[in-house]
Structure formats: C-alpha cells, structure tokens
Amino acid sequence: MTTHAPQTHPLPTGFPAGTMILTRRGLVPIEDVIEGDDVFTHQRLWRPVTAAMRTTAPTVRVHCASLASGLAATADRPFLTRVARVFLEGGEAGELSSAGWTRARDLAEGHRLASPLDFGKPVPVPDLPASLTGIDPADVLRTAGYMIRLKGEAAAALCPDLVDWVAAQFGGYGAGRRFPAWALTMPEELRQAFLDGLVNDGPQRDQFAVRMHSKSFMVGLRLLVCSLGFAGGLSDQGRPGKPGWLLSWKREGGRRPDHDGFRWHPVTRVEHGPEAEVFSLSVAEDESYIADGIAVRNRTERLTSL
C-alpha cells in the first residue's frame, strides 16, 4: 500500500465580482484575476495564483472603520484578525491578541481586520519619459498626482511630456483609472510626493478628501495613505449607473493600531447579504491575498489519499 502526503484543497468560499485584489499588475477585480497572476499575500510576498474559481453562495457584508460600505464575502471566508480591547489615543494599541484567522460570520466588535503597510520587495517603477531624465523623481511623481487630480486639457497643459506615461500607468479618466502595484512599493518620499500632488497639499491643511469613480484607484490610494501613517476611510458614494468613491483622512491624530506591518481596523458590524456569484483564488504556499485592502485567505481542508 502506498501512502501519499496530505493535500490541501480550497473550499468554495469567495467574494462577489468587483472585489479588488492586489496583484503585481495593480488592483484588479477578482473576476479578472487569472492563473499565473502574482498576488500579494498576508506574509508580504508575491505569490502566483494557481487556480481561479467561481460558485454561487450566500454572502455576508463585513463593515469596519476604514471601509464604511463594507466588504462582501461568503460566511466561511477567513479574515486575518487580532482582538483588541483597549486603544491608547493617538498611539499604540494595548491588549492586542496575536494574529489569527476568523471566519466572516464569527467577526464581532473587538475584532480588528488587517491592511498591509509594508509591501515587501519593491516593484520597479516604469521608466519615465526620456525628456524628463535628470528631473527629481519626487517632482515627477508630484506632478503626476496633480495631473490625475486636474484631468482633461488642464492636466495635459501642465506637463505634456507626462500625459502618455500617466495614462499608461494609471489608466483613463473616470471609472477607467487604476492603481499600479509599484506605487505602493515606492520609497516613502515618492509615495508622499505623489499623494501631495494628488491632494494639492499645503501646510495649513489638516483634513483631506479625494473623490473618484474608480474603485481600483481608490482602494489602492487607501493602502498608500495608510502606508504613510494616516487612517484613511473609504466609502461607496455611487448611484445606480454612476460609481463614486470617497476617501478621507486627517494629517494628525486618531487611533492608529499598527503592529507587525499591518494597520488593524475595528470591525463595526456584520450583516447578512444576498446569494450571489462569488469568485475565489487558489494561491501558492499560503492561500492568502489582499481583497479590497484587507488580508484574507481560503478556508482549506486536508484530505489524505491512501
């Protein structure tokens, strides 16, 4: 008799279409992620997708402090969590449990969901236009952020040599905007420069808000804002046929429970959702990935073949 090693098989849990997954090519809707795409895992590594699956199942919607509109998932989908009872104003968290995995249906007040702050080994920044060689990259990224904010002819007039590059990296206007992974792995100076350009930062400002139609761009921007030490809150403000997203944050203050390279967001409630088509990804090594900016993994079972 031959004994084979136990094998791990993902169970049919997932997320509805439109859930944004952090891949090496940027924030991509889960239904568009394909086998071979590299996704970012909770271990802060890029690992390949080995299978993309879909099924129909009942869902729940998990609401937390940074995602006012919530994240829909099947009830058995595990989320990376800690449990915290006490937070110190403006600083570190106290009484924070070690990290573990909690099914969506078991989440409650006291649980904190994880968003990565450290994105591991940098993804190379695409070459800038030859005409901008010699210019400080921070100035170029600041200008790129400003162009995204201005849009249209005003953006083109600001820096004609950068128009095609911005379009190639960040997509078109409106819902066509996208957020590339390399923008999250840049050095802090470049991330801050891009954000400063996007919001037209000034020393007198203490509160910021960005509104856009693209969920891909806004989920990526929330991750960037969090990586710079701010507590960004994202909400869906769209109407039927017209998507819309709002991200807001403050320069100073607020509770910032950051541990082990993650921002930990308080769960506010979990509510029942409809039955829906859901999608899931099998990922090499640890079966985890980042969905709408939150660390999740597949529920697995071990089957032994004799």
Side-chain angles (χ1 to χ4, degrees):
M1 180 175 65
T2 302
T3 302
H4 300 279
Q7 296 180 347
T8 300
H9 302 273
L11 294 176
T13 64
F15 301 92
T19 303
M20 293 295 161
I21 307 302
L22 179 54
T23 76
R24 194 183 286 271
R25 56 191 174 102
L27 274 295
V28 177
I30 190 168
E31 67 272 22
D32 294 336
V33 178
I34 61 175
E35 185 175 342
D37 271 334
D38 285 334
V39 298
F40 194 70
T41 75
H42 84 286
Q43 295 180 333
R44 294 187 287 280
L45 299 170
W46 297 99
R47 290 294 180 260
V49 172
T50 57
M53 300 156 282
R54 67 173 65 186
T55 189
T56 300
T59 61
V60 297
R61 183 167 292 272
V62 179
H63 296 264
C64 68
S66 66
L67 292 175
S69 306
L71 171 59
T74 48
D76 281 343
R77 168 64 59 165
F79 286 68
L80 184 61
T81 60
R82 288 177 182 266
V83 177
R85 300 298 179 188
V86 177
F87 286 98
L88 306 180
E89 287 291 340
E92 297 180 356
E95 297 185 10
L96 197 63
S97 72
S98 58
W101 297 98
T102 305
R103 294 178 299 183
R105 66 184 180 190
D106 297 327
L107 292 170
E109 289 187 20
H111 283 109
R112 268 63 184 174
L113 307 182
S115 287
L117 301 176
D118 173 7
F119 295 92
K121 185 178 179 180
V123 176
V125 177
D127 291 338
L128 296 171
S131 60
L132 300 179
T133 301
I135 298 178
D136 187 340
D139 290 336
V140 176
L141 268 297
R142 187 177 296 106
T143 301
Y146 194 33
M147 292 173 69
I148 290 172
R149 184 174 68 88
L150 286 178
K151 307 175 184 177
E153 294 181 358
L158 182 66
C159 185
D161 291 345
L162 202 52
V163 170
D164 290 343
W165 187 87
V166 169
Q169 302 306 320
F170 294 93
Y173 299 118
R177 283 285 183 215
R178 57 181 181 268
F179 203 93
W182 58 260
L184 295 172
T185 67
M186 294 188 297
E188 181 176 343
E189 176 190 5
L190 299 186
R191 282 180 279 134
Q192 186 66 62
F194 176 76
L195 185 62
D196 289 347
L198 185 66
V199 300
N200 193 23
D201 192 14
Q204 74 282 4
R205 298 186 64 185
D206 182 58
Q207 195 157 347
F208 303 90
V210 175
R211 291 178 175 84
M212 286 198 179
H213 298 302
S214 167
K215 183 180 179 182
S216 170
F217 186 89
M218 295 299 280
V219 170
L221 184 62
R222 186 187 74 81
L223 288 171
L224 183 142
V225 164
C226 288
S227 77
L228 292 169
F230 308 114
L234 183 63
S235 60
D236 182 355
Q237 299 198 333
R239 302 188 301 273
K242 189 175 183 181
W245 298 85
L246 171 67
L247 178 67
S248 57
W249 68 97
K250 293 182 178 180
R251 187 189 300 276
E252 301 292 345
R255 297 174 176 178
R256 300 179 181 178
D258 302 338
H259 289 264
D260 300 331
F262 290 96
R263 168 71 50 80
W264 297 90
H265 308 280
V267 171
T268 55
R269 69 184 189 279
V270 179
E271 57 190 16
H272 291 292
E275 185 170 279
E277 183 179 36
V278 294
F279 300 80
S280 188
L281 308 171
S282 186
V283 179
E285 295 186 19
D286 72 358
E287 295 290 352
S288 72
Y289 45 97
I290 308 300
D292 279 359
I294 301 296
V296 300
R297 67 166 297 168
N298 291 321
R299 182 173 172 231
T300 60
E301 64 181 0
R302 290 196 175 273
L303 303 177
T304 302
S305 300
L306 300 178

